PDB file of all heavy atoms in Angstrom:
ATOM      1  N   GLY A   1    -140.784  38.430-141.385  1.00 94.00           N
ATOM      2  CA  GLY A   1    -140.831  36.972-141.268  1.00 94.00           C
ATOM      3  C   GLY A   1    -139.670  36.261-141.943  1.00 94.00           C
ATOM      4  O   GLY A   1    -139.599  35.034-141.905  1.00 94.00           O
ATOM      5  N   GLY A   2    -138.785  37.020-142.561  1.00 95.00           N
ATOM      6  CA  GLY A   2    -137.616  36.425-143.197  1.00 95.00           C
ATOM      7  C   GLY A   2    -137.663  36.510-144.713  1.00 95.00           C
ATOM      8  O   GLY A   2    -138.696  36.824-145.305  1.00 95.00           O
ATOM      9  N   LEU A   3    -136.529  36.220-145.302  1.00 97.00           N
ATOM     10  CA  LEU A   3    -136.367  36.297-146.747  1.00 97.00           C
ATOM     11  C   LEU A   3    -135.668  35.048-147.253  1.00 97.00           C
ATOM     12  O   LEU A   3    -134.917  34.411-146.517  1.00 97.00           O
ATOM     13  CB  LEU A   3    -135.526  37.525-147.120  1.00 97.00           C
ATOM     14  CG  LEU A   3    -136.154  38.883-146.826  1.00 97.00           C
ATOM     15  CD1 LEU A   3    -135.105  39.981-146.866  1.00 97.00           C
ATOM     16  CD2 LEU A   3    -137.270  39.167-147.829  1.00 97.00           C
ATOM     17  N   VAL A   4    -135.898  34.739-148.525  1.00 97.00           N
ATOM     18  CA  VAL A   4    -135.208  33.620-149.162  1.00 97.00           C
ATOM     19  C   VAL A   4    -134.603  34.115-150.476  1.00 97.00           C
ATOM     20  O   VAL A   4    -135.194  34.955-151.161  1.00 97.00           O
ATOM     21  CB  VAL A   4    -136.148  32.429-149.446  1.00 97.00           C
ATOM     22  CG1 VAL A   4    -136.609  31.786-148.164  1.00 97.00           C
ATOM     23  CG2 VAL A   4    -137.337  32.853-150.285  1.00 97.00           C
ATOM     24  N   PRO A   5    -133.413  33.609-150.824  1.00 97.00           N
ATOM     25  CA  PRO A   5    -132.859  33.955-152.134  1.00 97.00           C
ATOM     26  C   PRO A   5    -133.674  33.259-153.219  1.00 97.00           C
ATOM     27  O   PRO A   5    -134.080  32.113-153.057  1.00 97.00           O
ATOM     28  CB  PRO A   5    -131.426  33.427-152.071  1.00 97.00           C
ATOM     29  CG  PRO A   5    -131.417  32.414-150.980  1.00 97.00           C
ATOM     30  CD  PRO A   5    -132.529  32.757-150.038  1.00 97.00           C
ATOM     31  N   THR A   6    -133.927  33.967-154.316  1.00 97.00           N
ATOM     32  CA  THR A   6    -134.745  33.401-155.395  1.00 97.00           C
ATOM     33  C   THR A   6    -133.945  33.104-156.660  1.00 97.00           C
ATOM     34  O   THR A   6    -134.269  32.157-157.377  1.00 97.00           O
ATOM     35  CB  THR A   6    -135.901  34.347-155.758  1.00 97.00           C
ATOM     36  OG1 THR A   6    -135.359  35.616-156.149  1.00 97.00           O
ATOM     37  CG2 THR A   6    -136.845  34.527-154.576  1.00 97.00           C
ATOM     38  N   CYS A   7    -132.947  33.932-156.941  1.00 98.00           N
ATOM     39  CA  CYS A   7    -132.149  33.784-158.152  1.00 98.00           C
ATOM     40  C   CYS A   7    -131.003  34.797-158.068  1.00 98.00           C
ATOM     41  O   CYS A   7    -130.847  35.454-157.043  1.00 98.00           O
ATOM     42  CB  CYS A   7    -132.999  34.023-159.409  1.00 98.00           C
ATOM     43  SG  CYS A   7    -133.891  35.596-159.414  1.00 98.00           S
ATOM     44  N   GLY A   8    -130.229  34.929-159.137  1.00 98.00           N
ATOM     45  CA  GLY A   8    -129.117  35.859-159.069  1.00 98.00           C
ATOM     46  C   GLY A   8    -128.460  36.112-160.415  1.00 98.00           C
ATOM     47  O   GLY A   8    -128.971  35.718-161.470  1.00 98.00           O
ATOM     48  N   ALA A   9    -127.303  36.751-160.336  1.00 98.00           N
ATOM     49  CA  ALA A   9    -126.510  37.048-161.524  1.00 98.00           C
ATOM     50  C   ALA A   9    -125.070  37.299-161.100  1.00 98.00           C
ATOM     51  O   ALA A   9    -124.821  37.816-160.007  1.00 98.00           O
ATOM     52  CB  ALA A   9    -127.060  38.273-162.251  1.00 98.00           C
ATOM     53  N   ARG A  10    -124.145  36.893-161.964  1.00 98.00           N
ATOM     54  CA  ARG A  10    -122.719  37.215-161.800  1.00 98.00           C
ATOM     55  C   ARG A  10    -122.245  37.795-163.126  1.00 98.00           C
ATOM     56  O   ARG A  10    -122.415  37.161-164.170  1.00 98.00           O
ATOM     57  CB  ARG A  10    -121.895  35.972-161.496  1.00 98.00           C
ATOM     58  CG  ARG A  10    -122.119  35.351-160.153  1.00 98.00           C
ATOM     59  CD  ARG A  10    -121.128  34.210-159.877  1.00 98.00           C
ATOM     60  NE  ARG A  10    -120.921  33.308-160.994  1.00 98.00           N
ATOM     61  CZ  ARG A  10    -121.705  32.253-161.300  1.00 98.00           C
ATOM     62  NH1 ARG A  10    -122.767  31.999-160.576  1.00 98.00           N
ATOM     63  NH2 ARG A  10    -121.425  31.472-162.323  1.00 98.00           N
ATOM     64  N   PHE A  11    -121.683  39.000-163.067  1.00 98.00           N
ATOM     65  CA  PHE A  11    -121.268  39.602-164.325  1.00 98.00           C
ATOM     66  C   PHE A  11    -120.213  40.683-164.100  1.00 98.00           C
ATOM     67  O   PHE A  11    -120.033  41.179-162.990  1.00 98.00           O
ATOM     68  CB  PHE A  11    -122.465  40.176-165.091  1.00 98.00           C
ATOM     69  CG  PHE A  11    -123.281  41.204-164.356  1.00 98.00           C
ATOM     70  CD1 PHE A  11    -123.095  42.554-164.587  1.00 98.00           C
ATOM     71  CD2 PHE A  11    -124.266  40.811-163.456  1.00 98.00           C
ATOM     72  CE1 PHE A  11    -123.857  43.499-163.925  1.00 98.00           C
ATOM     73  CE2 PHE A  11    -125.041  41.745-162.791  1.00 98.00           C
ATOM     74  CZ  PHE A  11    -124.835  43.095-163.023  1.00 98.00           C
ATOM     75  N   THR A  12    -119.537  40.989-165.176  1.00 98.00           N
ATOM     76  CA  THR A  12    -118.621  42.117-165.203  1.00 98.00           C
ATOM     77  C   THR A  12    -119.329  43.253-165.916  1.00 98.00           C
ATOM     78  O   THR A  12    -119.872  43.067-167.010  1.00 98.00           O
ATOM     79  CB  THR A  12    -117.325  41.756-165.963  1.00 98.00           C
ATOM     80  OG1 THR A  12    -116.696  40.665-165.292  1.00 98.00           O
ATOM     81  CG2 THR A  12    -116.380  42.943-166.021  1.00 98.00           C
ATOM     82  N   ARG A  13    -119.338  44.405-165.277  1.00 98.00           N
ATOM     83  CA  ARG A  13    -119.924  45.607-165.890  1.00 98.00           C
ATOM     84  C   ARG A  13    -118.794  46.548-166.273  1.00 98.00           C
ATOM     85  O   ARG A  13    -117.926  46.853-165.457  1.00 98.00           O
ATOM     86  CB  ARG A  13    -120.875  46.304-164.929  1.00 98.00           C
ATOM     87  CG  ARG A  13    -121.307  47.702-165.427  1.00 98.00           C
ATOM     88  CD  ARG A  13    -122.460  48.240-164.645  1.00 98.00           C
ATOM     89  NE  ARG A  13    -123.669  47.512-165.058  1.00 98.00           N
ATOM     90  CZ  ARG A  13    -124.849  47.680-164.497  1.00 98.00           C
ATOM     91  NH1 ARG A  13    -125.009  48.523-163.490  1.00 98.00           N
ATOM     92  NH2 ARG A  13    -125.898  46.986-164.922  1.00 98.00           N
ATOM     93  N   LEU A  14    -118.821  46.975-167.520  1.00 98.00           N
ATOM     94  CA  LEU A  14    -117.970  48.068-167.972  1.00 98.00           C
ATOM     95  C   LEU A  14    -118.866  49.292-168.038  1.00 98.00           C
ATOM     96  O   LEU A  14    -119.891  49.277-168.737  1.00 98.00           O
ATOM     97  CB  LEU A  14    -117.361  47.756-169.335  1.00 98.00           C
ATOM     98  CG  LEU A  14    -116.499  46.497-169.404  1.00 98.00           C
ATOM     99  CD1 LEU A  14    -115.987  46.284-170.822  1.00 98.00           C
ATOM    100  CD2 LEU A  14    -115.341  46.563-168.420  1.00 98.00           C
ATOM    101  N   ALA A  15    -118.542  50.344-167.282  1.00 98.00           N
ATOM    102  CA  ALA A  15    -119.420  51.501-167.168  1.00 98.00           C
ATOM    103  C   ALA A  15    -118.672  52.782-167.514  1.00 98.00           C
ATOM    104  O   ALA A  15    -117.494  52.938-167.191  1.00 98.00           O
ATOM    105  CB  ALA A  15    -119.971  51.598-165.745  1.00 98.00           C
ATOM    106  N   LYS A  16    -119.401  53.675-168.156  1.00 98.00           N
ATOM    107  CA  LYS A  16    -118.831  54.975-168.511  1.00 98.00           C
ATOM    108  C   LYS A  16    -119.949  56.009-168.517  1.00 98.00           C
ATOM    109  O   LYS A  16    -121.020  55.779-169.075  1.00 98.00           O
ATOM    110  CB  LYS A  16    -118.188  54.911-169.889  1.00 98.00           C
ATOM    111  CG  LYS A  16    -117.589  56.245-170.316  1.00 98.00           C
ATOM    112  CD  LYS A  16    -116.803  56.134-171.579  1.00 98.00           C
ATOM    113  CE  LYS A  16    -116.045  57.448-171.795  1.00 98.00           C
ATOM    114  NZ  LYS A  16    -114.985  57.265-172.753  1.00 98.00           N
ATOM    115  N   THR A  17    -119.686  57.165-167.905  1.00 98.00           N
ATOM    116  CA  THR A  17    -120.626  58.272-167.940  1.00 98.00           C
ATOM    117  C   THR A  17    -120.371  59.075-169.211  1.00 98.00           C
ATOM    118  O   THR A  17    -119.231  59.420-169.518  1.00 98.00           O
ATOM    119  CB  THR A  17    -120.467  59.165-166.699  1.00 98.00           C
ATOM    120  OG1 THR A  17    -120.712  58.365-165.534  1.00 98.00           O
ATOM    121  CG2 THR A  17    -121.449  60.321-166.726  1.00 98.00           C
ATOM    122  N   ILE A  18    -121.447  59.351-169.919  1.00 97.00           N
ATOM    123  CA  ILE A  18    -121.349  60.071-171.184  1.00 97.00           C
ATOM    124  C   ILE A  18    -122.167  61.356-171.081  1.00 97.00           C
ATOM    125  O   ILE A  18    -123.382  61.309-170.840  1.00 97.00           O
ATOM    126  CB  ILE A  18    -121.851  59.195-172.347  1.00 97.00           C
ATOM    127  CG1 ILE A  18    -120.957  57.953-172.445  1.00 97.00           C
ATOM    128  CG2 ILE A  18    -121.885  59.987-173.653  1.00 97.00           C
ATOM    129  CD1 ILE A  18    -121.342  56.978-173.493  1.00 97.00           C
ATOM    130  N   PRO A  19    -121.502  62.517-171.227  1.00 97.00           N
ATOM    131  CA  PRO A  19    -122.245  63.778-171.197  1.00 97.00           C
ATOM    132  C   PRO A  19    -123.033  63.977-172.491  1.00 97.00           C
ATOM    133  O   PRO A  19    -122.556  63.663-173.588  1.00 97.00           O
ATOM    134  CB  PRO A  19    -121.146  64.840-171.054  1.00 97.00           C
ATOM    135  CG  PRO A  19    -119.894  64.187-171.541  1.00 97.00           C
ATOM    136  CD  PRO A  19    -120.067  62.706-171.384  1.00 97.00           C
ATOM    137  N   LEU A  20    -124.249  64.475-172.346  1.00 95.00           N
ATOM    138  CA  LEU A  20    -125.114  64.786-173.481  1.00 95.00           C
ATOM    139  C   LEU A  20    -125.476  66.265-173.413  1.00 95.00           C
ATOM    140  O   LEU A  20    -125.245  66.921-172.396  1.00 95.00           O
ATOM    141  CB  LEU A  20    -126.383  63.931-173.430  1.00 95.00           C
ATOM    142  CG  LEU A  20    -126.202  62.418-173.351  1.00 95.00           C
ATOM    143  CD1 LEU A  20    -127.542  61.741-173.139  1.00 95.00           C
ATOM    144  CD2 LEU A  20    -125.521  61.905-174.613  1.00 95.00           C
ATOM    145  N   GLU A  21    -126.089  66.753-174.457  1.00 91.00           N
ATOM    146  CA  GLU A  21    -126.482  68.167-174.475  1.00 91.00           C
ATOM    147  C   GLU A  21    -127.450  68.493-173.345  1.00 91.00           C
ATOM    148  O   GLU A  21    -127.367  69.548-172.726  1.00 91.00           O
ATOM    149  CB  GLU A  21    -127.112  68.504-175.826  1.00 91.00           C
ATOM    150  CG  GLU A  21    -127.423  69.972-175.988  1.00 91.00           C
ATOM    151  CD  GLU A  21    -127.936  70.308-177.367  1.00 91.00           C
ATOM    152  OE1 GLU A  21    -127.462  69.700-178.347  1.00 91.00           O
ATOM    153  OE2 GLU A  21    -128.817  71.188-177.456  1.00 91.00           O
ATOM    154  N   ASN A  22    -128.386  67.568-173.064  1.00 88.00           N
ATOM    155  CA  ASN A  22    -129.400  67.819-172.030  1.00 88.00           C
ATOM    156  C   ASN A  22    -129.308  66.829-170.880  1.00 88.00           C
ATOM    157  O   ASN A  22    -130.325  66.351-170.385  1.00 88.00           O
ATOM    158  CB  ASN A  22    -130.800  67.770-172.648  1.00 88.00           C
ATOM    159  CG  ASN A  22    -131.030  68.900-173.618  1.00 88.00           C
ATOM    160  OD1 ASN A  22    -130.685  70.034-173.327  1.00 88.00           O
ATOM    161  ND2 ASN A  22    -131.578  68.588-174.775  1.00 88.00           N
ATOM    162  N   GLY A  23    -128.097  66.484-170.451  1.00 93.00           N
ATOM    163  CA  GLY A  23    -127.947  65.585-169.320  1.00 93.00           C
ATOM    164  C   GLY A  23    -126.737  64.685-169.438  1.00 93.00           C
ATOM    165  O   GLY A  23    -125.805  64.971-170.195  1.00 93.00           O
ATOM    166  N   ARG A  24    -126.782  63.603-168.666  1.00 97.00           N
ATOM    167  CA  ARG A  24    -125.710  62.604-168.674  1.00 97.00           C
ATOM    168  C   ARG A  24    -126.340  61.230-168.575  1.00 97.00           C
ATOM    169  O   ARG A  24    -127.337  61.048-167.879  1.00 97.00           O
ATOM    170  CB  ARG A  24    -124.773  62.763-167.463  1.00 97.00           C
ATOM    171  CG  ARG A  24    -123.948  63.997-167.435  1.00 97.00           C
ATOM    172  CD  ARG A  24    -123.040  64.076-166.201  1.00 97.00           C
ATOM    173  NE  ARG A  24    -123.783  63.876-164.960  1.00 97.00           N
ATOM    174  CZ  ARG A  24    -123.491  62.953-164.030  1.00 97.00           C
ATOM    175  NH1 ARG A  24    -122.477  62.154-164.162  1.00 97.00           N
ATOM    176  NH2 ARG A  24    -124.231  62.834-162.950  1.00 97.00           N
ATOM    177  N   VAL A  25    -125.729  60.263-169.260  1.00 98.00           N
ATOM    178  CA  VAL A  25    -126.159  58.877-169.142  1.00 98.00           C
ATOM    179  C   VAL A  25    -124.954  58.027-168.768  1.00 98.00           C
ATOM    180  O   VAL A  25    -123.806  58.416-168.982  1.00 98.00           O
ATOM    181  CB  VAL A  25    -126.780  58.331-170.456  1.00 98.00           C
ATOM    182  CG1 VAL A  25    -128.060  59.059-170.792  1.00 98.00           C
ATOM    183  CG2 VAL A  25    -125.791  58.369-171.606  1.00 98.00           C
ATOM    184  N   GLU A  26    -125.263  56.859-168.183  1.00 98.00           N
ATOM    185  CA  GLU A  26    -124.236  55.853-167.982  1.00 98.00           C
ATOM    186  C   GLU A  26    -124.457  54.772-169.027  1.00 98.00           C
ATOM    187  O   GLU A  26    -125.557  54.239-169.152  1.00 98.00           O
ATOM    188  CB  GLU A  26    -124.308  55.243-166.590  1.00 98.00           C
ATOM    189  CG  GLU A  26    -123.247  54.165-166.389  1.00 98.00           C
ATOM    190  CD  GLU A  26    -123.329  53.509-165.035  1.00 98.00           C
ATOM    191  OE1 GLU A  26    -124.173  52.606-164.861  1.00 98.00           O
ATOM    192  OE2 GLU A  26    -122.560  53.927-164.148  1.00 98.00           O
ATOM    193  N   LEU A  27    -123.407  54.487-169.777  1.00 98.00           N
ATOM    194  CA  LEU A  27    -123.415  53.378-170.715  1.00 98.00           C
ATOM    195  C   LEU A  27    -122.778  52.206-169.998  1.00 98.00           C
ATOM    196  O   LEU A  27    -121.641  52.312-169.529  1.00 98.00           O
ATOM    197  CB  LEU A  27    -122.633  53.735-171.982  1.00 98.00           C
ATOM    198  CG  LEU A  27    -122.465  52.615-173.012  1.00 98.00           C
ATOM    199  CD1 LEU A  27    -123.826  52.133-173.523  1.00 98.00           C
ATOM    200  CD2 LEU A  27    -121.579  53.091-174.163  1.00 98.00           C
ATOM    201  N   ALA A  28    -123.522  51.105-169.868  1.00 98.00           N
ATOM    202  CA  ALA A  28    -123.029  49.920-169.164  1.00 98.00           C
ATOM    203  C   ALA A  28    -123.066  48.723-170.100  1.00 98.00           C
ATOM    204  O   ALA A  28    -124.072  48.476-170.769  1.00 98.00           O
ATOM    205  CB  ALA A  28    -123.874  49.643-167.923  1.00 98.00           C
ATOM    206  N   LEU A  29    -121.951  48.003-170.146  1.00 98.00           N
ATOM    207  CA  LEU A  29    -121.829  46.784-170.934  1.00 98.00           C
ATOM    208  C   LEU A  29    -121.678  45.636-169.951  1.00 98.00           C
ATOM    209  O   LEU A  29    -120.691  45.575-169.210  1.00 98.00           O
ATOM    210  CB  LEU A  29    -120.605  46.858-171.848  1.00 98.00           C
ATOM    211  CG  LEU A  29    -120.417  48.154-172.644  1.00 98.00           C
ATOM    212  CD1 LEU A  29    -119.134  48.095-173.466  1.00 98.00           C
ATOM    213  CD2 LEU A  29    -121.626  48.432-173.516  1.00 98.00           C
ATOM    214  N   ASP A  30    -122.659  44.744-169.891  1.00 98.00           N
ATOM    215  CA  ASP A  30    -122.683  43.655-168.914  1.00 98.00           C
ATOM    216  C   ASP A  30    -122.460  42.317-169.601  1.00 98.00           C
ATOM    217  O   ASP A  30    -123.127  42.010-170.595  1.00 98.00           O
ATOM    218  CB  ASP A  30    -124.027  43.616-168.178  1.00 98.00           C
ATOM    219  CG  ASP A  30    -124.262  44.844-167.311  1.00 98.00           C
ATOM    220  OD1 ASP A  30    -123.291  45.577-167.034  1.00 98.00           O
ATOM    221  OD2 ASP A  30    -125.419  45.076-166.919  1.00 98.00           O
ATOM    222  N   GLN A  31    -121.544  41.525-169.021  1.00 98.00           N
ATOM    223  CA  GLN A  31    -121.279  40.183-169.541  1.00 98.00           C
ATOM    224  C   GLN A  31    -121.080  39.230-168.372  1.00 98.00           C
ATOM    225  O   GLN A  31    -120.288  39.496-167.477  1.00 98.00           O
ATOM    226  CB  GLN A  31    -120.029  40.177-170.416  1.00 98.00           C
ATOM    227  CG  GLN A  31    -119.709  38.802-170.957  1.00 98.00           C
ATOM    228  CD  GLN A  31    -118.489  38.815-171.873  1.00 98.00           C
ATOM    229  OE1 GLN A  31    -117.957  39.844-172.227  1.00 98.00           O
ATOM    230  NE2 GLN A  31    -118.051  37.631-172.238  1.00 98.00           N
ATOM    231  N   GLY A  32    -121.830  38.127-168.378  1.00 98.00           N
ATOM    232  CA  GLY A  32    -121.718  37.139-167.313  1.00 98.00           C
ATOM    233  C   GLY A  32    -122.791  36.096-167.440  1.00 98.00           C
ATOM    234  O   GLY A  32    -123.093  35.636-168.542  1.00 98.00           O
ATOM    235  N   VAL A  33    -123.417  35.744-166.292  1.00 98.00           N
ATOM    236  CA  VAL A  33    -124.470  34.734-166.285  1.00 98.00           C
ATOM    237  C   VAL A  33    -125.597  35.134-165.337  1.00 98.00           C
ATOM    238  O   VAL A  33    -125.368  35.785-164.324  1.00 98.00           O
ATOM    239  CB  VAL A  33    -123.947  33.327-165.873  1.00 98.00           C
ATOM    240  CG1 VAL A  33    -123.001  32.770-166.911  1.00 98.00           C
ATOM    241  CG2 VAL A  33    -123.300  33.355-164.495  1.00 98.00           C
ATOM    242  N   LEU A  34    -126.803  34.732-165.699  1.00 98.00           N
ATOM    243  CA  LEU A  34    -127.938  34.753-164.795  1.00 98.00           C
ATOM    244  C   LEU A  34    -127.980  33.391-164.122  1.00 98.00           C
ATOM    245  O   LEU A  34    -127.626  32.385-164.748  1.00 98.00           O
ATOM    246  CB  LEU A  34    -129.235  35.000-165.564  1.00 98.00           C
ATOM    247  CG  LEU A  34    -129.313  36.302-166.345  1.00 98.00           C
ATOM    248  CD1 LEU A  34    -130.572  36.328-167.207  1.00 98.00           C
ATOM    249  CD2 LEU A  34    -129.274  37.493-165.414  1.00 98.00           C
ATOM    250  N   THR A  35    -128.416  33.335-162.861  1.00 98.00           N
ATOM    251  CA  THR A  35    -128.426  32.071-162.131  1.00 98.00           C
ATOM    252  C   THR A  35    -129.791  31.844-161.484  1.00 98.00           C
ATOM    253  O   THR A  35    -130.450  32.782-161.050  1.00 98.00           O
ATOM    254  CB  THR A  35    -127.341  32.054-161.037  1.00 98.00           C
ATOM    255  OG1 THR A  35    -127.594  33.120-160.103  1.00 98.00           O
ATOM    256  CG2 THR A  35    -125.949  32.232-161.633  1.00 98.00           C
ATOM    257  N   GLY A  36    -130.187  30.567-161.453  1.00 97.00           N
ATOM    258  CA  GLY A  36    -131.444  30.211-160.805  1.00 97.00           C
ATOM    259  C   GLY A  36    -131.603  28.713-160.706  1.00 97.00           C
ATOM    260  O   GLY A  36    -131.395  28.001-161.689  1.00 97.00           O
ATOM    261  N   SER A  37    -131.891  28.222-159.524  1.00 96.00           N
ATOM    262  CA  SER A  37    -132.116  26.787-159.273  1.00 96.00           C
ATOM    263  C   SER A  37    -130.984  25.915-159.803  1.00 96.00           C
ATOM    264  O   SER A  37    -131.216  24.860-160.393  1.00 96.00           O
ATOM    265  CB  SER A  37    -133.450  26.332-159.882  1.00 96.00           C
ATOM    266  OG  SER A  37    -134.520  26.977-159.237  1.00 96.00           O
TER     267      SER A  37
END
């Protein structure tokens, strides 16, 4: 039946994969704004 936008975000992500002993994680640093109405 359709969709409507509800809110959003604009940001810069700095991302890096970091190896660990039992896996890998992504470390993400986000800076920007959340948006709504």
Side-chain angles (χ1 to χ4, degrees):
L3 294 164
V4 292
T6 58
C7 54
R10 291 187 316 276
F11 57 99
T12 300
R13 169 167 286 175
L14 301 178
K16 179 172 190 163
T17 300
I18 298 178
L20 305 173
E21 186 175 324
N22 294 315
R24 293 180 308 125
V25 295
E26 179 182 81
L27 175 61
L29 313 178
D30 294 344
Q31 179 178 352
V33 293
L34 300 172
T35 61
S37 295

